Amino acid sequence: MTKVLIATEKPFAAAAVDGIKKIFAEAGFETVLLEKYTDPNDLIKAVADVDAMIIRSDKATRQVIEAGKNLKIIVRAGAGFDNIDLAAATEKGIVAMNTPGQNSNAVAELALGMMAFMARANYKGGSGTELKGKKLGLQAYGYVGKAVATIAKGFGMDVYAFDPFIPKEAITKDGVKVVNSVEELYSTCQYVSLHIPANDKTKKSINYALLSKMPKNATVINTARKEIINEDDLKKMFTERQDFKYVSDVAPECHADLLQFENRYYSTPKKQGAETSEANVNAGLAAANQIVKFIKNGDKTFQVNK
Ligand code: 3PG
């Protein structure tokens, strides 16, 4: 019998787990649940005899992948797959997938919520500013960037985007202005919301050269990954510019150093962009359906290690 492991250090909402189990039961698969584990060895043990695995930000390291003797597919229920050792998966002939777009609205709503929180003096009662009429730059226009654009336009923001991988017309048709370079995005927009993945090209790429270009009362919103920020440069911006704000759902390593910049810095204690019941159901059920289609029909749509 095909055995599928749901390994979630940060568990899905109950409705998502129930839905996933139902899909696997109907397919004749057995579901094994490993939630809230703190020791990576628990994952290494749990993966030993399963055919497929669903994860969130859980780390599918080489050690985990090699421990999965029967493992054929790993699906990351979510967008970013920087937590999977793709080279190790490919070497072992294991298919890795993500579920693009399934949790993007949850992340986008949080990004706008964070913008409002910073603009309104951290909800402490002081006078703030409005988002209406302000320029918002989206660094990348994937599912999350697009969803942020839709909501931001509802706030009356003037939305710009830079994404070299998306045709210009696909962005402008949404009423979003396209800039020609990432530098132009930063020099144009008071708000910049980050939606790029963490990879060898993007790590530490948000640096002083970009941040220092931002207009007065600059605010950067990071609901993407902490690794994309150059943290020394981030600290430099805080000390050099009294008007600079940074709000994050992916706490930087230098979190403790930034706490002194009250009202200009905020980070959630734990990443919660995709922490909604809806996002868990969307991404979890998509992951389960992708596994069933792959095991039964060899369907490799959404494979990321090609
Ligand atoms: C993603 O890449 O999909 C988001 O960062 C959400 O990650 P999570 O499932 O670990 O909350």
Side-chain angles (χ1 to χ4, degrees):
M1 188 191 248
T2 299
K3 209 168 167 181
V4 189
L5 173 68
I6 307 173
T8 47
E9 174 270 321
K10 190 170 63 177
F12 287 124
V17 177
D18 291 347
I20 295 169
K21 282 184 175 166
K22 191 164 174 273
I23 290 169
F24 290 145
E26 281 167 10
F29 298 176
E30 183 188 340
T31 306
V32 183
L33 194 58
L34 175 70
E35 288 182 329
K36 291 188 190 168
Y37 61 94
T38 47
D39 183 348
N41 285 317
D42 291 348
L43 178 55
I44 288 168
K45 274 185 220 144
V47 78
D49 65 342
V50 301
D51 301 276
M53 172 165 79
I54 296 178
I55 54 172
R56 293 185 63 181
S57 288
D58 306 78
K59 293 196 171 25
T61 59
R62 177 172 286 276
Q63 221 190 340
V64 168
I65 288 166
E66 287 179 352
K69 298 290 175 217
N70 300 334
L71 197 60
K72 296 158 192 71
I73 177 167
I74 302 170
V75 182
R76 193 281 191 242
F81 44 86
D82 47 310
N83 52 326
I84 305 177
D85 187 327
L86 293 182
T90 306
E91 275 170 39
K92 287 208 62 195
I94 294 169
V95 169
M97 293 183 183
N98 65 350
T99 64
Q102 299 292 345
N103 59 18
S104 49
N105 185 65
V107 181
E109 286 190 11
L110 184 72
L112 261 297
M114 286 180 145
M115 269 181 242
F117 176 73
M118 296 312 272
R120 299 303 283 269
N122 301 29
Y123 300 156
K124 286 180 186 161
S127 179
T129 53
E130 297 182 19
L131 296 177
K132 186 176 179 179
K134 305 297 189 301
K135 291 187 168 72
L136 166 65
L138 303 171
Q139 188 171 357
Y141 202 73
Y143 288 97
V144 183
K146 192 179 168 74
V148 170
T150 305
I151 306 170
K153 282 193 292 156
F155 274 82
M157 297 187 88
D158 188 12
V159 187
Y160 293 73
F162 177 71
D163 192 328
F165 302 104
I166 308 267
K168 193 176 172 180
E169 308 70 50
I171 302 176
T172 52
K173 76 168 176 38
D174 293 344
V176 174
K177 298 172 182 116
V178 174
V179 293
N180 294 318
S181 66
V182 69
E183 288 79 13
E184 191 185 341
L185 191 78
Y186 281 77
S187 58
T188 306
C189 299
Q190 178 188 338
Y191 288 86
V192 171
S193 191
L194 305 173
H195 303 293
I196 53 175
N199 57 39
D200 290 346
K201 289 208 175 93
T202 63
K203 281 180 187 165
K204 292 187 190 238
S205 65
I206 313 303
N207 55 21
Y208 185 77
L210 288 177
L211 296 171
S212 60
K213 286 189 167 37
M214 291 181 75
K216 204 166 160 30
N217 297 324
T219 301
V220 173
I221 306 97
N222 188 356
T223 54
R225 291 290 182 270
K226 69 176 178 187
E227 291 84 0
I228 61 179
I229 292 282
N230 181 315
E231 295 198 11
D232 288 337
D233 290 4
L234 181 66
K235 286 195 274 186
K236 189 172 167 188
M237 280 298 294
F238 270 100
T239 45
E240 276 191 8
R241 292 239 329 233
Q242 300 306 310
D243 65 315
F244 176 75
K245 296 181 184 176
Y246 183 72
V247 60
S248 147
D249 186 36
V250 281
E253 294 296 322
C254 64
H255 172 74
D257 300 337
L258 299 180
L259 289 174
Q260 60 180 301
F261 302 108
E262 223 192 324
N263 293 3
R264 292 207 282 135
Y265 169 73
Y266 176 79
S267 183
T268 52
K270 198 166 186 186
K271 189 169 73 156
Q272 61 179 59
E275 281 294 87
T276 66
S277 181
E278 293 90 336
N280 289 175
V281 167
N282 291 342
L285 269 55
N289 283 320
Q290 286 171 215
I291 286 174
V292 172
K293 283 186 189 155
F294 171 76
I295 300 280
K296 294 211 183 261
N297 311 321
D299 186 334
K300 292 184 186 171
T301 311
F302 306 117
Q303 182 174 4
V304 293
N305 61 334
K306 285 180 229 185

